[in-house]
Structure formats: C-alpha cells, structure tokens
Amino acid sequence: RMLSGYKPKNNVQDSYKILELEEGCSLDDVRSSYRNLAKKYHPDSSSGMADSKAFIRVEEAYRVVLSDLTAKQKSDADEEEEDQFKSKSLQHRHYLSFEGVGIGTPSQREKQYMQFRVDRATEQVLEYRQQRLESRYAGSDLSRAQDVRQSKKVKITQAVERLVEDLIQESMAKGDFDNLSGKGKPLQKFSQSPHIDPMTHNLNRILIDNGYQPEWILLQKEIRETIERLRKSIVASRRKLGEPMTLSEQKQWGRVCEQFAEDIRKLNKRVDNFNLVVPILSRQMVHFSMDKEIRRARKTYEAVVEKVSDSDMKENEGETGKRFGWKSALLKWLRL
C-alpha cells in the first residue's frame, strides 16, 4: 500500500476515533494504541475478537494519524526557525572562521582576529619565559628570591605593556593616527617569499625578539659548545705533559683519556635526546667516537708543536743574520 497509489478512506478525525485517541496526543500514545488494537484484531492473533476488516481500518487510521503528526511537527519546527531568524540578524558566518573571535563585517573580524593572535602569542612567550625562570631558579632560598624578583619583573613588564596598549587605544580614539603617511595603502609583506603568510612571519618575529628558542635548538647549541670545550681541554692536557712522556706522565695521560671517554658517553646521551625532539630528519646528529676524538687531539697537538718549532727556527735564523750582517755589507763595499 505504501509503494502503490493507494489512499486511505478515513479522514483525520475518524482515524483518531478508530485508534481511541484524541487530537494533540503524542507519538508514543499513537504507537501504543496501534499495538494494542493490532493484538486485538489481527487475524493471526489468538484473540477471540480477531477480524481482518477491523485490522485494516486500524492500520489505515494509524498511517493517517502518523502523517498528521509528522506534518504538525514539521510546521512547528518551521515556525521556530522563522522566529529565530526574525529575532537574530545575520552575523556574516560568525562562527565559521576566525575561531569565533570578533564582531562586525568579515574584514573587521579579520583585523580583530589578527590582533587576538598577536596578544595570544605575546602571552605564550611571557608564560614560557616565566616557566623557564621558575625551573632554573627553583631549589634554594636564594634561587626562590631570584625567582620572585624575576616574576615581579615579568609582572611589571606586562603592566607597562598594558599601559602602552591603553595609550595607543586612547590615541586611536582621539584620531591621532588618522593623518599618518601610508594610510589606505596595502601593507608590505614581512618576507620576500610570497609563499609565507605575513601574519605567521610577524608572530615568529615576535617570538624571536622575546628570546624564545625551541628546545632542539638549545640542545644543539649545548652539544656543540660541549664538544668544543672537551676538545680544547684534552689538547691542553696533552701539551702540559710534553714530549716524550715519562712513565708517570703516560699514566696521567691514561687517566685523562678515561675521563674524556666518560664525558663523550654523557655527551652521546644528549645526542640521543636531541634526535628525539628535532623536527627535521636531516638535522639529526651521530654519536661522537672517543677514538676518533683522541686521534684528532693528537693531530692538533702535533700541528701546534710543529708550528712552535718553525717559529723558533725562524727566530734563530733572524738572530744569526743580524749577527753576520755587517761582514756581508763590508764585502760588498770592498767589491765596489
């Protein structure tokens, strides 16, 4: 019946009477009444009042009432939606972009969103610096006092920034910025590359100016400074021992090499931590080899020794030339 062009003969009021219901009832009531009447009149039921014609009338009435309730619910929903549109004005797709920030036209909301991103980046930089100071100076009473002073400095900086921002807003309200040069002209990009968003570049510049550095850059700098310090220290230790080394100096050199190997092992742990946090695969570092570093230190020491010996030889030759220079000058005069 649903797929064919069959139309029920009952009207809406008769259908409610057949289902023993009143207009305005809920959908659950309609279903419950239909279920009870179907158990009562269905031909396959074991009821004594089973009647196929009565069941057909109940089924038709059930479908008419369902369609009536559906139409009423749809009309109520349309009325509510119309009321909502009448009470609220269009908001220019307010919550579909810019993270729901700002009011007004799309261009106005874009400017407000850019200012919001700048403020949020500044707050994140200040929170990062405060966390770094807290982790660096936590431990002793002196460090706590230093931490309190640094926190006060950060708070004062924030207060000054808020004061400056208020003064800028006040000047803008008075119209002091209306006659500035370049008004109404497009802003220049902060980078020569056309593929970089100017807003993103500006945020990165603010982070860099405020001293923000990613963790992997700090680790990389620390590793490079440490290996340079270790290389200079082992070369200096070898120069102190001299050439050739005695038996006691060889034992001392062995202890220096053992300490150097321990320092290299600790440095390689830092390299592992760096490789875990570096975002670029090509920037990962390899472990430092203790044998290669010791050979490098020996070559550096030999080059330093050769340089010193060459400079000594040149000084000796210069002194010899000065000593016998008057004799050669006398011979030249006699020849002339």
Side-chain angles (χ1 to χ4, degrees):
R1 292 174 182 175
M2 293 175 61
L3 297 176
S4 65
Y6 174 79
K7 295 183 180 180
K9 299 178 181 179
N10 300 329
N11 56 18
V12 179
Q13 295 179 354
D14 294 338
S15 299
Y16 277 104
K17 291 180 181 180
I18 293 172
L19 293 178
E20 300 175 357
L21 296 172
E22 296 181 356
E23 294 186 12
C25 60
S26 63
L27 186 61
D28 294 335
D29 296 336
V30 175
R31 290 175 179 172
S32 177
S33 177
Y34 172 72
R35 192 179 300 110
N36 295 330
L37 293 175
K39 292 179 181 179
K40 185 177 180 180
Y41 294 115
H42 197 279
D44 296 335
S45 65
S46 59
S47 175
M49 300 179 66
D51 187 1
S52 60
K53 294 181 179 180
F55 176 72
I56 291 173
R57 289 196 299 271
V58 169
E59 186 178 2
E60 291 177 354
Y62 173 67
R63 297 186 183 281
V64 171
V65 172
L66 281 182
S67 62
D68 182 62
L69 289 177
T70 304
K72 288 182 179 179
Q73 291 177 357
K74 186 176 180 181
S75 62
D76 294 340
D78 293 339
E79 290 178 358
E80 291 179 358
E81 189 173 358
E82 289 178 0
D83 294 338
Q84 290 178 358
F85 279 110
K86 289 180 182 178
S87 61
K88 295 183 180 180
S89 60
L90 294 177
Q91 296 297 323
H92 302 287
R93 301 169 67 87
H94 190 81
Y95 293 103
L96 298 183
S97 61
F98 306 118
E99 300 181 12
V101 176
I103 57 174
T105 62
S107 59
Q108 292 175 351
R109 294 188 59 243
E110 184 179 3
K111 292 179 181 179
Q112 296 171 10
Y113 178 63
M114 292 170 65
Q115 183 64 36
F116 168 75
R117 289 184 64 186
V118 172
D119 295 339
R120 184 172 59 183
T122 305
E123 291 177 359
Q124 291 177 354
V125 169
L126 294 175
E127 290 178 359
Y128 172 78
R129 294 176 65 183
Q130 187 173 359
Q131 292 176 0
R132 288 290 303 274
L133 292 173
E134 290 177 356
S135 61
R136 183 181 299 175
Y137 296 105
S140 62
D141 295 336
L142 180 59
S143 64
R144 291 193 187 95
Q146 293 176 351
D147 189 12
V148 171
R149 287 195 295 270
Q150 293 293 336
S151 300
K152 288 182 179 179
K153 288 182 180 179
V154 172
K155 292 180 180 178
I156 293 172
T157 304
Q158 293 177 351
V160 171
E161 290 178 353
R162 287 196 295 269
L163 178 60
V164 171
E165 183 66 23
D166 293 339
L167 293 175
I168 292 174
Q169 294 295 332
E170 184 179 357
S171 300
M172 291 175 63
K174 291 180 180 179
D176 295 339
F177 298 151
D178 293 341
N179 298 323
L180 295 178
S181 60
K183 179 184 178 181
K185 298 180 181 179
L187 294 175
Q188 296 181 357
K189 291 185 177 295
F190 298 99
S191 176
Q192 298 297 330
S193 177
H195 306 290
I196 298 178
D197 182 22
M199 193 63 209
T200 303
H201 181 83
N202 193 18
L203 291 175
N204 293 334
R205 181 175 57 81
I206 291 173
L207 294 174
I208 293 173
D209 293 342
N210 284 274
Y212 172 78
Q213 289 182 347
E215 183 180 1
W216 66 275
I217 291 181
L218 296 176
L219 281 174
Q220 186 182 33
K221 182 179 179 181
E222 183 181 357
I223 291 171
R224 290 177 177 176
E225 291 177 353
T226 304
I227 190 62
E228 290 297 329
R229 177 174 54 80
L230 292 177
R231 287 170 179 172
K232 290 180 180 179
S233 64
I234 193 170
V235 172
S237 300
R238 183 64 184 87
R239 291 185 64 182
K240 289 180 181 179
L241 297 177
E243 187 70 29
M245 291 186 295
T246 61
L247 184 60
S248 61
E249 291 177 345
Q250 290 179 359
K251 292 181 180 179
Q252 186 177 357
W253 173 247
R255 290 193 295 269
V256 171
C257 292
E258 291 177 359
Q259 183 62 37
F260 182 75
E262 180 66 19
D263 295 336
I264 290 294
R265 185 182 64 81
K266 294 179 180 178
L267 185 61
N268 288 332
K269 288 185 178 180
R270 296 183 185 177
V271 171
D272 293 335
N273 296 333
F274 169 79
N275 292 333
L276 290 175
V277 298
V278 63
I280 305 174
L281 186 62
S282 60
R283 291 294 185 90
Q284 290 190 345
M285 304 176 68
V286 296
H287 284 187
F288 295 97
S289 175
M290 190 268 291
D291 298 333
K292 290 182 179 180
E293 295 296 333
I294 291 178
R295 288 197 297 269
R296 179 175 181 172
R298 289 177 179 174
K299 291 180 180 179
T300 305
Y301 168 72
E302 292 174 357
V304 170
V305 171
E306 290 179 358
K307 187 175 180 180
V308 171
S309 61
D310 292 341
S311 61
D312 293 339
M313 291 178 62
K314 289 181 180 179
E315 290 179 357
N316 293 331
E317 290 177 357
E319 292 178 355
T320 305
K322 291 179 180 179
R323 188 181 304 170
F324 299 100
W326 65 275
K327 294 183 179 180
S328 59
L330 179 61
L331 292 174
K332 287 182 181 180
W333 181 77
L334 292 174
R335 290 195 191 97
L336 293 173

